[in-house]
Amino acid sequence: MKKLLILLCLLAPTLLPAQMGKAYEMNINGVKVIVQPSGNDIVEIRTVIKGGVQNYSNETAGIETLAMTALTECGTTAMDKNTFKNALDAVSAQMGGESGMDYATFRMNCIKSDLRKVWPLYVDALTTPRFEEKEFARIRQDQLTMIRSRNSQPDDDVDRLARRTAFAGTAYAREPIGTEATVSKLTAAAAKAYYKKLLHRGRIAIVVVGDIDRAELESQMKALLDRIPAGPPLHLQKQSFTAAANTFTPVKKDLATNYVQGISAGPQPGSPDYNAFVLAMRIFYTRHFVEIRSNNGLSYAPATWFSGGLTPFSVLFASTTEPNKYVITARQLIDKIRREGFTEDELRNIKTGYLAQVWYRQETNAEQAAALAQNEAVHGNWRRALTIAEDMKKVSLQDLNRVFNKYVTNISWVLQGDPAKADPALFKQKDTPVKTF
């Protein structure tokens, strides 16, 4: 398997550029339009609306997700929902919107020969959505059902608790999907007014992955952007999270086991530490899994990850019947890495695996567009999607150990389950607790 991954990493950089043309950007009506010629007959277009959870209040959480869903689920001024959907189905085109922590996207995907049929539908959905009352009530109910489903999943629920606790009083404590309390109060009129304010040229970028004549594309984009108001300049907040001390917040819940999650710091997108920390947390995932599950049998599926958005943070997670033993083992593992560091073999292997994943993610136009959109919205640099493989090769072992020690420090811990099973002092004390088992 390892040989296969190495072979893919060697071949992919030569295969993909041969199929794709050189990426470029245009500035049309003050909007950045990012274009990646694809070398195939598929066209993927994404309008990126920046801001995410910064765009709305705690009381209206979920409104952006509803509004983005409504673009295709409530019809347009020209077509009702069924007529609109039938027009897409006639050419097997895909279209839809979604919203996340840092940005929303509205995408379309079709065969190049059908672009002239699908593009007008996309423009109408983006610029003249209907927000029809009956259809809006349906998608609001669907969103409420999804919220209830997520609330019933302990893994999801403890993740939300961890973020609400760590990021209390900031936008990152909000849920893009909203809560039952907020979503149940949202109306079609409120979502329509919100979307009208949301969509302006100061907030968006557009990503195109496909082989479209540049002059034709520029004409299409200008016609679209002429229909979108200029709006004020956008000033996104990039915030850094660092817990002032180790903290512990338990919540009693009738569960078969305990769900423990900790949040620590992470480097800002675009900073020199970012790429090294991505790799460090991937190695830490393996170390954490082996130590928690394989060596000590404390959790079936322990995990660590790095959430590298506009407020970046690192995460430790485990479901366990023995939370005290888990936190002792996890904290001792962190101390060991801080003392001894990672190894050259670990760095070499994680680079190989990461580069293979990078090239796997470039297999479709949709995946390429998603990478360009994410890098533009979060890093402010869409070209990072194209240079990431070479950028990661430059990360040194010294970089890896330095950033891990710099960012994985104090941890905001939460527990859902039986608080009586956990000793708060083991989570909160500054010095790493001694292993006694």
Side-chain angles (χ1 to χ4, degrees), residues 179-200:
T179 67
E180 286 191 68
T182 61
V183 172
S184 61
K185 298 175 184 176
L186 296 174
T187 64
K192 183 176 182 178
Y194 173 83
Y195 183 73
K196 183 178 180 179
K197 184 178 178 181
L198 179 74
L199 185 68
H200 63 76

Side-chain angles (χ1 to χ4, degrees), residues 341-400:
F342 298 111
T343 68
E344 288 284 2
D345 281 346
E346 286 177 315
L347 176 58
R348 182 170 53 253
N349 290 339
I350 206 67
K351 282 183 179 180
T352 299
Y354 185 84
L355 294 177
Q357 288 185 3
V358 168
W359 296 114
Y360 278 139
R361 289 197 296 266
Q362 298 297 311
E363 286 185 335
T364 68
N365 292 28
E367 289 166 335
Q368 292 171 39
L372 291 165
Q374 189 269 344
N375 279 282
E376 178 61 25
V378 175
H379 293 264
N381 175 22
W382 61 268
R383 288 183 174 83
R384 181 177 178 272
L386 306 178
T387 64
I388 186 63
E390 292 302 316
D391 294 342
M392 286 297 186
K393 290 177 183 178
K394 298 173 184 176
V395 174
S396 69
L397 184 61
Q398 182 181 10
D399 295 330
L400 211 65

Side-chain angles (χ1 to χ4, degrees), residues 43-47 93-96 106-110 114-115 118-119 122:
V43 175
E44 172 87 15
I45 298 176
R46 298 193 179 208
T47 297
Q94 299 173 358
M95 196 176 296
F106 185 60
R107 65 175 289 257
M108 58 156 282
N109 183 288
C110 70
D114 293 325
L115 181 60
V118 179
W119 177 249
Y122 183 81

Side-chain angles (χ1 to χ4, degrees), residues 92-114:
S92 299
Q94 299 173 358
M95 196 176 296
E98 61 182 5
S99 179
M101 295 296 291
D102 300 312
Y103 61 97
T105 56
F106 185 60
R107 65 175 289 257
M108 58 156 282
N109 183 288
C110 70
I111 299 171
K112 181 181 176 180
S113 59
D114 293 325

